[in-house]
Amino acid sequence: MWNALTDPNPSNMKATKTLVGGAGGYYESFAVDNRIPTKPVVFVTEDASNGALRKYTPPASSTSAGGNFNALHTSGGTYEYLVFLNSTHFKWSTSLSEGRTSQQKYYAYSEGIDFHNGFLYFVSKTLYKMFVLNLDTKTYTTMSTQFGSLGTGGGAFNHQPDQIVRNGGDYLYLTEDGGVSPGIYALHKPTGAKYAIVQGYSSALQYDETAGLAFSPDGRKMYTAFQDCGCLLEFSRDDGKSFDGDTLDVKFHSPTQVFRRGLKDMEQR
């Protein structure tokens, strides 16, 4: 795994290999538990049947001088791997083989991952499932990502989940790999309400993959790509507000449009 230092001056930009990935693997996504800014903990998914979701804890001294950059480049960190004990509890093991066995049994081909308020969220692409880990109690729950028909505003999420992205609030946004209308979907964590935000209904987008989901720093712009199409898109709300407004009242427009955009009637209380 690598990290990049960005700078307005191109000559100052550089990419360096971190210690998080160890000897390497089919790594997909990462998330950071930064509740203690001087002691960040990194989680990485592995897109393989017998991969292992890893937890990397940097050495205690690594952030004292160079901040979080040093945390990923100072030797002496701890590698642990997610192991499910049963249908409700998990542990972290220092055994990579134990982690691989657990992933193969419970959460093969893990991809998107996100952290928020003590909870770690990640998806298994082939199982169409999201796992929600309470890092403090070492308990977990699961939910299907095959949301099906979304009665709250129309649309349907039936194919493989991919990325998980949070825009700083209570909504988790998920991308989709495949299907006749790949899109972007939102899950409101406090209520469980689900929404279709974008769906591609052009024949050119069938079985494509939404990817590269990101938000502007103020949350008012949403960016995504249709991977096979090579299309990079920018979305915004008609009212100019953040995509993490308190209320989503999503309604679809005509299905003959290339993109069904459930954004027009989003309202912020």
Side-chain angles (χ1 to χ4, degrees):
M1 291 187 62
W2 295 68
N3 74 314
L5 291 178
T6 58
D7 192 281
N9 184 349
S11 63
N12 293 332
M13 297 177 65
K14 64 178 181 179
T16 55
K17 188 176 181 179
T18 73
L19 297 174
V20 177
Y26 296 98
Y27 302 130
E28 181 71 22
S29 302
F30 75 95
V32 180
D33 178 351
N34 58 352
R35 287 177 290 177
I36 304 176
T38 58
K39 297 180 180 179
V41 179
V42 180
F43 302 91
V44 183
T45 57
E46 189 169 1
D47 184 12
S49 61
N50 63 338
L53 193 156
R54 66 177 52 205
K55 170 186 177 183
Y56 178 73
T57 304
S61 60
S62 63
T63 59
S64 58
N68 288 343
F69 180 84
N70 277 359
L72 304 181
H73 297 84
T74 303
S75 60
T78 302
Y79 297 93
E80 298 172 277
Y81 307 92
L82 177 63
V83 174
F84 284 147
L85 302 174
N86 49 43
S87 61
T88 57
H89 289 75
F90 69 90
K91 71 173 185 178
W92 296 103
S93 170
T94 56
S95 168
L96 176 57
S97 62
E98 191 175 12
R100 293 195 183 283
T101 298
S102 185
Q103 172 154 328
Q104 188 170 35
K105 182 177 180 180
Y106 292 104
Y107 57 97
Y109 297 100
S110 57
E111 295 218 5
I113 189 169
D114 190 68
F115 169 83
H116 187 222
N117 287 344
F119 289 86
L120 191 68
Y121 304 81
F122 73 93
V123 295
S124 168
K125 193 168 190 174
T126 55
L127 296 178
Y128 300 88
K129 186 179 289 187
M130 179 188 292
F131 297 84
V132 183
L133 277 57
N134 185 323
L135 297 180
D136 297 328
T137 64
K138 290 186 172 61
T139 58
Y140 76 95
T141 59
T142 64
M143 66 176 295
S144 172
T145 61
Q146 289 182 300
F147 294 167
S149 179
L150 301 175
T152 50
F157 185 11
N158 292 312
H159 219 70
Q160 292 183 327
D162 200 318
Q163 290 180 277
I164 299 177
V165 179
R166 188 175 55 83
N167 182 31
D170 286 329
Y171 291 94
L172 285 177
Y173 291 85
L174 293 89
T175 64
E176 184 178 24
D177 184 358
V180 296
S181 58
I184 297 170
Y185 307 88
L187 171 68
H188 187 235
K189 292 180 294 182
T191 64
K194 307 173 183 71
Y195 306 91
I197 303 301
V198 174
Q199 287 192 279
Y201 274 81
S202 166
S203 60
L205 299 177
Q206 288 187 0
Y207 310 109
D208 207 325
E209 176 179 351
T210 49
L213 182 62
F215 295 90
S216 60
D218 62 5
R220 298 173 186 270
K221 301 288 186 180
M222 182 176 73
Y223 308 95
T224 193
F226 282 83
Q227 185 166 281
D228 296 336
C229 167
C231 306
L232 181 61
L233 305 173
E234 175 187 291
F235 295 89
S236 60
R237 288 173 46 156
D238 283 352
D239 60 12
K241 296 180 180 178
S242 169
F243 276 84
D244 271 317
D246 293 336
T247 301
L248 286 173
D249 181 17
V250 177
K251 298 180 177 67
F252 273 169
H253 301 293
S254 169
T256 61
Q257 292 178 266
V258 174
F259 304 109
R260 279 184 165 180
R261 295 171 45 181
L263 306 176
K264 183 175 182 180
D265 297 310
M266 294 168 65
E267 296 178 352
Q268 183 176 31
R269 289 175 181 164

